[in-house]
Amino acid sequence: MLGCGGGAKLRHSLTVASGFVENLCFSGIAYGWASLVFILKNDGYFSDLCDITANATDPGDIITLSGERPGDNIIQSDCSGQDEQFSLVFTVASFSMNFLRFPLGFLFDHFGTMATRLLATCLYTTGTLLITVSSPEQSALLFPAISCLITSGMLFYTTNAQVGNLFDSHRSTVISVYAGAFDSSAAVFLIIKVMYEGGVSLRSSFLILSVCSVIHLLRTFFLMPNTHIPYPLPEGFTYGVSPGKSNSYNVEEIEKTREMGMTSEGEGPAETDDMPLQPDDGQQSEDSGKVASFRSCVQSWFFLWHLVWLSVMQLRHYLFIGTLNPMLNRLADNDSALVSQYTNAFAFTQLCGVLCAPWNGLIMDRHKGKPLAPGETDKEADLRSSSLSLFLTSLQCLLFSICASSPLLPLQYLTFILQVLNRSFLYGGNAAFISIAFPGVHFGKLYGLVMSLSAVVSLLQYPCFALVKGALGGDPFYVNIALTLLTLLAFIHPINIFYHCRKLTNQREDMAGGAAITLAEAKM
């Protein structure tokens, strides 16, 4: 019979393990869009947008219906309109998901985990059922279906990110591992593609996914809190089904109590630990002992540069995923077997996301267990450690963008590897940084706001695709170069954090030196 402590540890273990499975199998499945597009094309979705012609002589972006090389007196089809529509489905879905993160963040902060996860389960079930009942004649159902799937996945990941609070010394590692599992779940559509090629219909596969909604419900009621998991974890904290015990905790009240306790014990003003660390202002706030306001967090330079950091890299990834199928068709000269081979390779690399993500968490948690510098707060130590992670993420995106810009088809294997590595670092680092730099009471709102604002930037992917198709004649080289240069802006964020932390260190050293001089003068 387990004691209370043993029971709590078992529940924590089951929570983190089930959260990993949920992220790995369900949360990010919509990012396997390239594999699903391959199936949808075979089934004839949006096929009415293909222009069938005869006696065409210019291959260009034209696909022969018979699989033969283009030439005279052969019936051919220009399916660029179909590709554009598939790209539009993913653009609308990704924008809807990111744009809704801010209001859904308010939902999470104010109504708690259970209400958020119940909404996520409803969206997930709706999305899978819409694809189940869709058909080539009802291709438009893909718009709400993929939007529901991608939004539900985001909500599952947001509620799961707080599970890291259960493990103090490995908090960022857990968040990063979950981000890697989120990325790897894109391989679910690859499994569906393999099953499709083996004779299992698309409808049957998504019906099975729909039934899996039961898993989300069971986890919501038994292994997640009604409200939130606070950080640091208060003594006696319980959640899920726990007879005779209340699991209702007010995160804001816990943070206020902790900070006021720190102030009364002479450990310094609370703002040095929980106020967002402003690059231009290291002074104390007038609201001593209070949690930083949501407005002050949004107006901080850290939030602004973090938004830029996330937006430029997310735009690069969304454009790459949304245009992967036509890009492979162009580089492979419309060889469907070769396109299928590279599509499978891309999907398989997504599985590696769960292997890449822990490295980011270990980088961010590398200082845990080590003594703090004199006068240094836990928040500052976490922030200083995060700067390396943010810099490596920016460097990965730059290398990924350079490889994606290359017209060499074999080089795309390296592009796939860099893409999944960078995505794992990007989203894990995003959630971890927000949890480090700002009060936990605002996590849902700030996480939602930064994703909503980045969604506006991500809308540029569709004009970019239209520009490639129109003015650039299908060659995305110049657009890729522009996006590569744009990713250089991401380096400002980690450099800004590095210099801010060094500025605080220099201030402490100057204050310590001044205090030593004053003491020496007093002894004279």
Side-chain angles (χ1 to χ4, degrees):
M1 186 77 177
L2 285 169
C4 186
K9 289 182 179 179
L10 177 60
R11 176 164 291 176
H12 291 179
S13 299
L14 289 175
T15 299
V16 73
S18 61
F20 175 81
V21 172
E22 184 174 70
N23 283 326
L24 183 63
C25 299
F26 305 105
S27 295
I29 60 176
Y31 290 99
W33 178 240
S35 297
L36 186 61
V37 166
F38 192 89
I39 300 174
L40 296 173
K41 278 189 172 183
N42 280 350
D43 280 354
Y45 283 72
F46 298 120
S47 58
D48 57 311
L49 298 176
C50 290
D51 296 327
I52 300 177
T53 58
N55 297 323
T57 57
D58 182 12
D61 294 326
I62 297 185
I63 306 171
T64 60
L65 298 180
S66 61
E68 301 175 10
R69 295 179 62 86
D72 290 332
N73 303 316
I74 296 178
I75 296 178
Q76 301 168 329
S77 178
D78 177 5
C79 290
S80 59
Q82 183 189 36
D83 288 334
E84 184 176 1
Q85 198 70 4
F86 280 125
S87 178
L88 182 60
V89 170
F90 187 78
T91 300
V92 170
S94 58
F95 172 77
S96 300
M97 177 264 293
N98 285 328
F99 187 75
L100 289 173
R101 285 202 186 206
F102 184 45
L104 292 175
F106 268 104
L107 171 69
F108 177 58
D109 283 344
H110 288 278
F111 295 98
T113 303
M114 179 173 290
T116 305
R117 288 183 59 84
L118 289 177
L119 174 61
T121 304
C122 289
L123 290 173
Y124 173 84
T125 307
T126 301
T128 52
L129 288 178
L130 282 175
I131 295 179
T132 300
V133 301
S134 68
S135 65
E137 293 75 25
Q138 298 174 319
S139 300
L141 287 177
L142 291 177
F143 284 95
I146 302 301
S147 295
C148 285
L149 275 181
I150 202 169
T151 302
S152 67
M154 175 272 296
L155 288 175
F156 286 134
Y157 174 73
T158 301
T159 58
N160 285 330
Q162 64 181 325
V163 174
N165 294 344
L166 297 173
F167 306 89
D168 182 26
S169 59
H170 301 291
R171 183 188 185 195
S172 296
T173 302
V174 172
I175 294 175
S176 297
V177 168
Y178 275 11
F182 179 91
D183 289 337
S184 295
S185 64
V188 170
F189 278 178
L190 169 64
I191 297 173
I192 292 176
K193 175 177 178 290
V194 172
M195 293 172 60
Y196 175 85
E197 292 171 341
V200 179
S201 68
L202 181 67
R203 178 170 299 178
S204 299
S205 296
F206 274 89
L207 188 59
I208 294 173
L209 287 178
S210 182
V211 172
C212 289
S213 298
V214 176
I215 297 175
H216 304 309
L217 290 175
L218 291 176
R219 190 163 183 273
T220 298
F221 290 114
F222 292 97
L223 290 174
M224 293 295 286
N226 291 337
T227 53
H228 303 91
I229 301 176
Y231 180 82
L233 209 63
E235 185 177 354
F237 175 76
T238 60
Y239 60 91
V241 176
S242 185
K245 294 184 180 180
S246 172
N247 65 343
S248 179
Y249 285 79
N250 188 309
V251 176
E252 185 171 6
E253 290 300 323
I254 290 174
E255 290 197 0
K256 285 182 179 180
T257 302
R258 176 172 63 87
E259 293 179 25
M260 290 179 180
M262 288 176 59
T263 304
S264 63
E265 293 172 7
E267 296 184 13
E271 289 68 37
T272 58
D273 187 44
D274 273 327
M275 280 291 289
L277 300 176
Q278 306 271 350
D280 296 333
D281 184 11
Q283 303 301 318
Q284 300 176 8
S285 168
E286 296 178 359
D287 299 326
S288 180
K290 294 183 180 179
V291 176
S293 68
F294 174 70
R295 180 178 179 180
S296 67
C297 293
V298 173
Q299 291 177 342
S300 68
W301 280 105
F302 276 1
F303 183 84
L304 172 64
W305 287 120
H306 187 68
L307 173 62
V308 173
W309 177 84
L310 175 67
S311 297
V312 296
M313 288 191 281
Q314 183 171 259
L315 172 63
R316 189 66 189 96
H317 282 276
Y318 279 177
L319 187 66
F320 178 77
I321 295 173
T323 61
L324 179 60
N325 189 266
M327 181 196 77
L328 291 177
N329 272 307
R330 181 176 57 84
L331 296 180
D333 293 328
N334 296 318
D335 185 334
S336 60
L338 197 56
V339 170
S340 178
Q341 174 185 326
Y342 274 84
T343 301
N344 289 346
F346 172 73
F348 275 120
T349 57
Q350 303 305 301
L351 288 170
C352 299
V354 71
L355 303 177
C356 302
W359 294 104
N360 190 30
L362 291 173
I363 290 172
M364 301 190 80
D365 285 335
R366 69 187 187 279
H367 65 291
K368 299 287 189 180
K370 298 179 181 179
L372 297 174
E376 186 179 43
T377 64
D378 289 331
K379 179 80 69 171
E380 184 185 341
D382 289 343
L383 196 64
R384 174 172 47 81
S385 185
S386 71
S387 61
L388 177 60
S389 169
L390 297 174
F391 178 82
L392 290 176
T393 305
S394 304
L395 182 61
Q396 292 164 2
C397 188
L398 179 62
L399 296 175
F400 152 64
S401 187
I402 291 173
C403 292
S405 303
S406 171
L408 299 176
L409 184 60
L411 188 61
Q412 300 313 307
Y413 286 121
L414 178 59
T415 303
F416 298 160
I417 295 172
L418 289 171
Q419 191 268 343
V420 71
L421 176 65
N422 187 230
R423 271 182 56 83
S424 298
F425 272 60
L426 177 63
Y427 290 110
N430 173 41
F433 177 79
I434 292 175
S435 68
I436 287 171
F438 305 102
V441 67
H442 301 311
F443 175 79
K445 295 186 290 292
L446 290 171
Y447 184 72
L449 180 60
V450 76
M451 296 305 297
S452 295
L453 294 177
S454 67
V456 178
V457 179
S458 71
L459 284 177
L460 292 174
Q461 62 181 300
Y462 191 69
C464 287
F465 185 83
L467 178 64
V468 170
K469 179 192 173 188
L472 299 180
D475 187 358
F477 179 75
Y478 292 106
V479 170
N480 285 331
I481 293 299
L483 290 174
T484 301
L485 295 175
L486 189 65
T487 59
L488 295 176
L489 291 175
F491 287 92
I492 297 176
H493 187 36
I495 292 173
N496 180 48
I497 294 173
F498 174 79
Y499 279 106
H500 173 71
C501 292
R502 194 165 79 169
K503 176 183 175 182
L504 293 180
T505 301
N506 292 336
Q507 286 177 349
R508 282 196 304 271
E509 291 176 351
D510 291 343
M511 291 175 64
I517 293 174
T518 302
L519 181 61
E521 291 175 347
K523 291 181 178 180
M524 292 179 64

PDB file of all heavy atoms in Angstrom, residues 4-25:
ATOM      1  N   CYS A   4       1.072   8.377   1.347  1.00  0.00           N
ATOM      2  CA  CYS A   4       0.633   9.608   0.687  1.00  0.00           C
ATOM      3  C   CYS A   4       1.669  10.123  -0.276  1.00  0.00           C
ATOM      4  O   CYS A   4       1.388  10.480  -1.397  1.00  0.00           O
ATOM      5  CB  CYS A   4       0.324  10.671   1.749  1.00  0.00           C
ATOM      6  SG  CYS A   4      -0.383  12.181   1.057  1.00  0.00           S
ATOM      7  N   GLY A   5       2.966  10.128   0.212  1.00  0.00           N
ATOM      8  CA  GLY A   5       4.041  10.612  -0.653  1.00  0.00           C
ATOM      9  C   GLY A   5       4.218   9.724  -1.858  1.00  0.00           C
ATOM     10  O   GLY A   5       4.389  10.176  -2.981  1.00  0.00           O
ATOM     11  N   GLY A   6       4.167   8.369  -1.636  1.00  0.00           N
ATOM     12  CA  GLY A   6       4.308   7.446  -2.749  1.00  0.00           C
ATOM     13  C   GLY A   6       3.169   7.567  -3.730  1.00  0.00           C
ATOM     14  O   GLY A   6       3.354   7.480  -4.939  1.00  0.00           O
ATOM     15  N   GLY A   7       1.944   7.791  -3.215  1.00  0.00           N
ATOM     16  CA  GLY A   7       0.789   7.958  -4.099  1.00  0.00           C
ATOM     17  C   GLY A   7       0.905   9.200  -4.948  1.00  0.00           C
ATOM     18  O   GLY A   7       0.559   9.196  -6.135  1.00  0.00           O
ATOM     19  N   ALA A   8       1.425  10.278  -4.363  1.00  0.00           N
ATOM     20  CA  ALA A   8       1.602  11.518  -5.113  1.00  0.00           C
ATOM     21  C   ALA A   8       2.631  11.332  -6.218  1.00  0.00           C
ATOM     22  O   ALA A   8       2.450  11.790  -7.350  1.00  0.00           O
ATOM     23  CB  ALA A   8       2.024  12.642  -4.166  1.00  0.00           C
ATOM     24  N   LYS A   9       3.725  10.632  -5.892  1.00  0.00           N
ATOM     25  CA  LYS A   9       4.765  10.405  -6.899  1.00  0.00           C
ATOM     26  C   LYS A   9       4.252   9.540  -8.037  1.00  0.00           C
ATOM     27  O   LYS A   9       4.573   9.769  -9.210  1.00  0.00           O
ATOM     28  CB  LYS A   9       5.984   9.745  -6.247  1.00  0.00           C
ATOM     29  CG  LYS A   9       6.774  10.677  -5.336  1.00  0.00           C
ATOM     30  CD  LYS A   9       7.999   9.973  -4.767  1.00  0.00           C
ATOM     31  CE  LYS A   9       8.803  10.932  -3.884  1.00  0.00           C
ATOM     32  NZ  LYS A   9       9.997  10.262  -3.297  1.00  0.00           N
ATOM     33  N   LEU A  10       3.445   8.530  -7.680  1.00  0.00           N
ATOM     34  CA  LEU A  10       2.869   7.667  -8.716  1.00  0.00           C
ATOM     35  C   LEU A  10       1.951   8.465  -9.625  1.00  0.00           C
ATOM     36  O   LEU A  10       1.987   8.319 -10.847  1.00  0.00           O
ATOM     37  CB  LEU A  10       2.105   6.510  -8.057  1.00  0.00           C
ATOM     38  CG  LEU A  10       1.376   5.553  -9.021  1.00  0.00           C
ATOM     39  CD1 LEU A  10       2.361   4.899  -9.975  1.00  0.00           C
ATOM     40  CD2 LEU A  10       0.587   4.506  -8.233  1.00  0.00           C
ATOM     41  N   ARG A  11       1.131   9.329  -9.019  1.00  0.00           N
ATOM     42  CA  ARG A  11       0.216  10.141  -9.824  1.00  0.00           C
ATOM     43  C   ARG A  11       0.993  11.096 -10.720  1.00  0.00           C
ATOM     44  O   ARG A  11       0.640  11.302 -11.886  1.00  0.00           O
ATOM     45  CB  ARG A  11      -0.739  10.905  -8.915  1.00  0.00           C
ATOM     46  CG  ARG A  11      -1.673  11.845  -9.674  1.00  0.00           C
ATOM     47  CD  ARG A  11      -2.830  12.285  -8.826  1.00  0.00           C
ATOM     48  NE  ARG A  11      -3.731  11.166  -8.580  1.00  0.00           N
ATOM     49  CZ  ARG A  11      -4.803  11.241  -7.791  1.00  0.00           C
ATOM     50  NH1 ARG A  11      -5.077  12.360  -7.165  1.00  0.00           N
ATOM     51  NH2 ARG A  11      -5.577  10.207  -7.617  1.00  0.00           N
ATOM     52  N   HIS A  12       2.051  11.701 -10.184  1.00  0.00           N
ATOM     53  CA  HIS A  12       2.880  12.591 -10.997  1.00  0.00           C
ATOM     54  C   HIS A  12       3.487  11.835 -12.177  1.00  0.00           C
ATOM     55  O   HIS A  12       3.523  12.347 -13.303  1.00  0.00           O
ATOM     56  CB  HIS A  12       4.002  13.197 -10.142  1.00  0.00           C
ATOM     57  CG  HIS A  12       3.513  14.161  -9.110  1.00  0.00           C
ATOM     58  ND1 HIS A  12       4.366  14.799  -8.239  1.00  0.00           N
ATOM     59  CD2 HIS A  12       2.265  14.604  -8.808  1.00  0.00           C
ATOM     60  CE1 HIS A  12       3.655  15.596  -7.437  1.00  0.00           C
ATOM     61  NE2 HIS A  12       2.382  15.480  -7.768  1.00  0.00           N
ATOM     62  N   SER A  13       3.955  10.617 -11.916  1.00  0.00           N
ATOM     63  CA  SER A  13       4.562   9.810 -12.982  1.00  0.00           C
ATOM     64  C   SER A  13       3.541   9.457 -14.056  1.00  0.00           C
ATOM     65  O   SER A  13       3.825   9.518 -15.259  1.00  0.00           O
ATOM     66  CB  SER A  13       5.174   8.536 -12.392  1.00  0.00           C
ATOM     67  OG  SER A  13       6.187   8.841 -11.459  1.00  0.00           O
ATOM     68  N   LEU A  14       2.329   9.065 -13.615  1.00  0.00           N
ATOM     69  CA  LEU A  14       1.278   8.737 -14.575  1.00  0.00           C
ATOM     70  C   LEU A  14       0.865   9.965 -15.379  1.00  0.00           C
ATOM     71  O   LEU A  14       0.584   9.874 -16.584  1.00  0.00           O
ATOM     72  CB  LEU A  14       0.056   8.164 -13.839  1.00  0.00           C
ATOM     73  CG  LEU A  14       0.221   6.767 -13.241  1.00  0.00           C
ATOM     74  CD1 LEU A  14      -1.018   6.386 -12.429  1.00  0.00           C
ATOM     75  CD2 LEU A  14       0.452   5.739 -14.351  1.00  0.00           C
ATOM     76  N   THR A  15       0.847  11.124 -14.731  1.00  0.00           N
ATOM     77  CA  THR A  15       0.472  12.363 -15.420  1.00  0.00           C
ATOM     78  C   THR A  15       1.473  12.716 -16.503  1.00  0.00           C
ATOM     79  O   THR A  15       1.105  13.023 -17.644  1.00  0.00           O
ATOM     80  CB  THR A  15       0.366  13.522 -14.409  1.00  0.00           C
ATOM     81  OG1 THR A  15      -0.640  13.226 -13.453  1.00  0.00           O
ATOM     82  CG2 THR A  15       0.001  14.816 -15.122  1.00  0.00           C
ATOM     83  N   VAL A  16       2.765  12.670 -16.158  1.00  0.00           N
ATOM     84  CA  VAL A  16       3.783  13.055 -17.145  1.00  0.00           C
ATOM     85  C   VAL A  16       3.858  12.029 -18.280  1.00  0.00           C
ATOM     86  O   VAL A  16       4.039  12.391 -19.445  1.00  0.00           O
ATOM     87  CB  VAL A  16       5.159  13.242 -16.461  1.00  0.00           C
ATOM     88  CG1 VAL A  16       5.778  11.925 -16.054  1.00  0.00           C
ATOM     89  CG2 VAL A  16       6.104  14.014 -17.372  1.00  0.00           C
ATOM     90  N   ALA A  17       3.685  10.731 -17.946  1.00  0.00           N
ATOM     91  CA  ALA A  17       3.740   9.692 -18.978  1.00  0.00           C
ATOM     92  C   ALA A  17       2.541   9.773 -19.916  1.00  0.00           C
ATOM     93  O   ALA A  17       2.688   9.698 -21.146  1.00  0.00           O
ATOM     94  CB  ALA A  17       3.810   8.310 -18.325  1.00  0.00           C
ATOM     95  N   SER A  18       1.355   9.949 -19.354  1.00  0.00           N
ATOM     96  CA  SER A  18       0.154  10.037 -20.198  1.00  0.00           C
ATOM     97  C   SER A  18       0.147  11.320 -21.019  1.00  0.00           C
ATOM     98  O   SER A  18      -0.342  11.340 -22.155  1.00  0.00           O
ATOM     99  CB  SER A  18      -1.109   9.948 -19.336  1.00  0.00           C
ATOM    100  OG  SER A  18      -1.161  11.018 -18.405  1.00  0.00           O
ATOM    101  N   GLY A  19       0.713  12.395 -20.449  1.00  0.00           N
ATOM    102  CA  GLY A  19       0.824  13.634 -21.210  1.00  0.00           C
ATOM    103  C   GLY A  19       1.761  13.473 -22.390  1.00  0.00           C
ATOM    104  O   GLY A  19       1.527  14.020 -23.477  1.00  0.00           O
ATOM    105  N   PHE A  20       2.831  12.715 -22.186  1.00  0.00           N
ATOM    106  CA  PHE A  20       3.764  12.441 -23.283  1.00  0.00           C
ATOM    107  C   PHE A  20       3.069  11.681 -24.405  1.00  0.00           C
ATOM    108  O   PHE A  20       3.211  12.007 -25.588  1.00  0.00           O
ATOM    109  CB  PHE A  20       4.954  11.641 -22.743  1.00  0.00           C
ATOM    110  CG  PHE A  20       5.928  11.200 -23.796  1.00  0.00           C
ATOM    111  CD1 PHE A  20       6.884  12.081 -24.287  1.00  0.00           C
ATOM    112  CD2 PHE A  20       5.894   9.913 -24.296  1.00  0.00           C
ATOM    113  CE1 PHE A  20       7.781  11.683 -25.263  1.00  0.00           C
ATOM    114  CE2 PHE A  20       6.783   9.499 -25.274  1.00  0.00           C
ATOM    115  CZ  PHE A  20       7.732  10.388 -25.761  1.00  0.00           C
ATOM    116  N   VAL A  21       2.295  10.644 -24.030  1.00  0.00           N
ATOM    117  CA  VAL A  21       1.572   9.848 -25.032  1.00  0.00           C
ATOM    118  C   VAL A  21       0.548  10.711 -25.759  1.00  0.00           C
ATOM    119  O   VAL A  21       0.392  10.617 -26.993  1.00  0.00           O
ATOM    120  CB  VAL A  21       0.890   8.642 -24.354  1.00  0.00           C
ATOM    121  CG1 VAL A  21      -0.026   7.915 -25.347  1.00  0.00           C
ATOM    122  CG2 VAL A  21       1.930   7.686 -23.789  1.00  0.00           C
ATOM    123  N   GLU A  22      -0.153  11.565 -25.028  1.00  0.00           N
ATOM    124  CA  GLU A  22      -1.162  12.426 -25.644  1.00  0.00           C
ATOM    125  C   GLU A  22      -0.535  13.371 -26.659  1.00  0.00           C
ATOM    126  O   GLU A  22      -1.057  13.545 -27.768  1.00  0.00           O
ATOM    127  CB  GLU A  22      -1.890  13.220 -24.563  1.00  0.00           C
ATOM    128  CG  GLU A  22      -3.033  14.072 -25.093  1.00  0.00           C
ATOM    129  CD  GLU A  22      -3.822  14.718 -23.972  1.00  0.00           C
ATOM    130  OE1 GLU A  22      -3.264  15.634 -23.316  1.00  0.00           O
ATOM    131  OE2 GLU A  22      -4.973  14.314 -23.741  1.00  0.00           O
ATOM    132  N   ASN A  23       0.589  13.984 -26.287  1.00  0.00           N
ATOM    133  CA  ASN A  23       1.268  14.878 -27.222  1.00  0.00           C
ATOM    134  C   ASN A  23       1.828  14.124 -28.416  1.00  0.00           C
ATOM    135  O   ASN A  23       1.803  14.615 -29.544  1.00  0.00           O
ATOM    136  CB  ASN A  23       2.406  15.624 -26.506  1.00  0.00           C
ATOM    137  CG  ASN A  23       1.901  16.754 -25.646  1.00  0.00           C
ATOM    138  OD1 ASN A  23       0.925  17.405 -25.981  1.00  0.00           O
ATOM    139  ND2 ASN A  23       2.533  16.984 -24.512  1.00  0.00           N
ATOM    140  N   LEU A  24       2.346  12.915 -28.171  1.00  0.00           N
ATOM    141  CA  LEU A  24       2.984  12.135 -29.229  1.00  0.00           C
ATOM    142  C   LEU A  24       1.985  11.595 -30.248  1.00  0.00           C
ATOM    143  O   LEU A  24       2.299  11.470 -31.434  1.00  0.00           O
ATOM    144  CB  LEU A  24       3.759  10.969 -28.602  1.00  0.00           C
ATOM    145  CG  LEU A  24       4.548  10.068 -29.545  1.00  0.00           C
ATOM    146  CD1 LEU A  24       5.652  10.854 -30.244  1.00  0.00           C
ATOM    147  CD2 LEU A  24       5.142   8.886 -28.784  1.00  0.00           C
ATOM    148  N   CYS A  25       0.786  11.279 -29.809  1.00  0.00           N
ATOM    149  CA  CYS A  25      -0.181  10.609 -30.691  1.00  0.00           C
ATOM    150  C   CYS A  25      -1.299  11.507 -31.216  1.00  0.00           C
ATOM    151  O   CYS A  25      -1.982  11.132 -32.186  1.00  0.00           O
ATOM    152  CB  CYS A  25      -0.809   9.415 -29.965  1.00  0.00           C
ATOM    153  SG  CYS A  25       0.366   8.148 -29.469  1.00  0.00           S
TER     154      CYS A  25
END
